[in-house]
Amino acid sequence: MKTIDELLTEGVAGRRVFVRADLNVPLDGTTITDDGRIRAVLPTVAKLAEAGARVVVASHLGRPKGAPAPAFSLAPAAARLGELLGADVAFATDTVGDSARATVAGLTDGQVAVLENLRFNAGETSKDDAERGAFADRLAELADVYVGDGFGAVHRKHASVYDLPARLPHYAGYLIATEVGVLKKLTTDVKRPYAVVLGGAKVSDKLGVIDHLLEKADRILIGGGMVFTFLAAQGHEVGASLLQEDQIPVVKEYIERAKERGVEFVLPVDVLVAGEFPDMKTKAPAHPATVAADAIPAGQMGLDIGPESRKLYASKLADTATVFWNGPMGVFEHPDYAEGTRAVAQALIDSPAFTVVGGGDSAAAVRILGFDENAFGHISTGGGASLEYLEGKTLPGLAALEG
């Protein structure tokens, strides 16, 4: 795929450059609680503006139902982008209407504008090719060139991600180029030993990536709510813990395949349990108990890996050359269940390996728990996109940039 450096060589002064970013930031009302995704696209936007482009930034935020919804407005993200750029950023209050056309027409060389949430238009996410294409046609009228840099959305066949690049000269921004380069180090140019740490709530969300990584990884460490389906597959009682019984046969098959291929599955040896889910509003003390992973009492739910498991996981990461981590080890947002996730993050920092934090909750945990982001090899901006790439799937947004 062509990159932004090639575009800059061709020259962008005076040209309208549409940047499909991922500004899907978490909001508390109108307050951004994590601006990581905005900072991730900053190099691309700043470089284009410095080169004299008239930059039109577009993104989605949340899941509005194809119509304007104030709670999902990109206005806070536009304001934050302006702060980070140190320049005024214009904001269009619609996507392809009067405000968008007037805002883009008013740009001068080196200025930046942000369009309102693309998902306020039903054409953005439509499964109907014609409806999606019609919206892409209207977006194309606002630009001369397309730069894809919203890695967190490249696994979506959406108008601004998949259809729009076919209508304009198209290039990959710095973020996408970096993300793809990193993912190749996890798939085609892997240094070993290669360990994968998978957490999160549901094992069903990770089946595809486990299936694919059984052919590539040397060790797979399991944590989070998904671990209890693995424990149940081994015949252990899991009390009131999160369990996907329908996935037990698949998990059993994966455990057997791992043995056949010499891939080590690492499961916790102890867990923190409680009789109820913690109060996430007050963060009141939960007073969990530590029990063996194969002896969870009836009525108790596992909510984090235990202290011996933390040591075990750290030891399994200490001698690695490559580590990919996606998904927390427990309910890390509550202080009583954050230590498992903290231990994994610290183990990645302490390891000599090339370490990749796979976006989503893992990236959020790194920031919430106060770790230096620069201590990791790479923190991805796209959890779902990273996982689908590792599953070996074709990602529509990347295919469009390569076309």
Side-chain angles (χ1 to χ4, degrees), residues 281-292:
K281 288 186 177 180
T282 66
K283 305 289 176 72
H287 306 297
T290 302
V291 301

Side-chain angles (χ1 to χ4, degrees), residues 306-320:
E308 292 305 314
S309 301
R310 294 173 216 152
K311 295 176 187 175
L312 172 65
Y313 284 26
S315 71
K316 295 294 183 180
L317 298 172
D319 66 343
T320 52

Side-chain angles (χ1 to χ4, degrees), residues 252-272:
K252 284 183 176 179
E253 178 196 335
Y254 286 173
I255 292 172
E256 287 304 311
R257 277 178 56 199
K259 288 179 182 177
E260 292 170 4
R261 299 192 62 83
V263 178
E264 184 181 9
F265 259 121
V266 183
L267 300 176
V269 293
D270 60 349
V271 295
L272 299 186

Side-chain angles (χ1 to χ4, degrees), residues 2-87:
K2 291 184 178 180
T3 67
I4 187 175
D5 285 332
E6 294 173 76
L7 171 60
L8 291 166
T9 299
E10 295 169 11
V12 293
R15 301 172 78 186
R16 300 170 302 164
V17 180
F18 187 103
V19 178
R20 198 341 177 153
D22 179 8
L23 308 181
N24 186 27
V25 292
L27 293 171
D28 181 4
T30 59
T31 301
I32 297 170
T33 57
D34 181 355
D35 68 356
R37 284 176 171 159
I38 301 175
R39 287 186 284 111
V41 79
L42 198 62
T44 290
V45 174
K47 194 72 173 180
L48 288 168
E50 288 169 10
R54 303 178 182 193
V55 187
V56 182
V57 180
S59 175
H60 70 286
L61 192 153
R63 297 180 182 272
K65 306 294 185 181
F72 297 107
S73 175
L74 276 174
R80 181 57 180 152
L81 178 61
E83 292 173 358
L84 292 169
L85 286 170

Side-chain angles (χ1 to χ4, degrees), residues 194-212:
Y194 177 20
V196 176
V197 186
L198 296 175
K202 294 181 179 180
V203 70
S204 57
D205 293 340
K206 303 292 191 334
L207 288 179
V209 74
I210 294 172
D211 181 49
H212 204 66

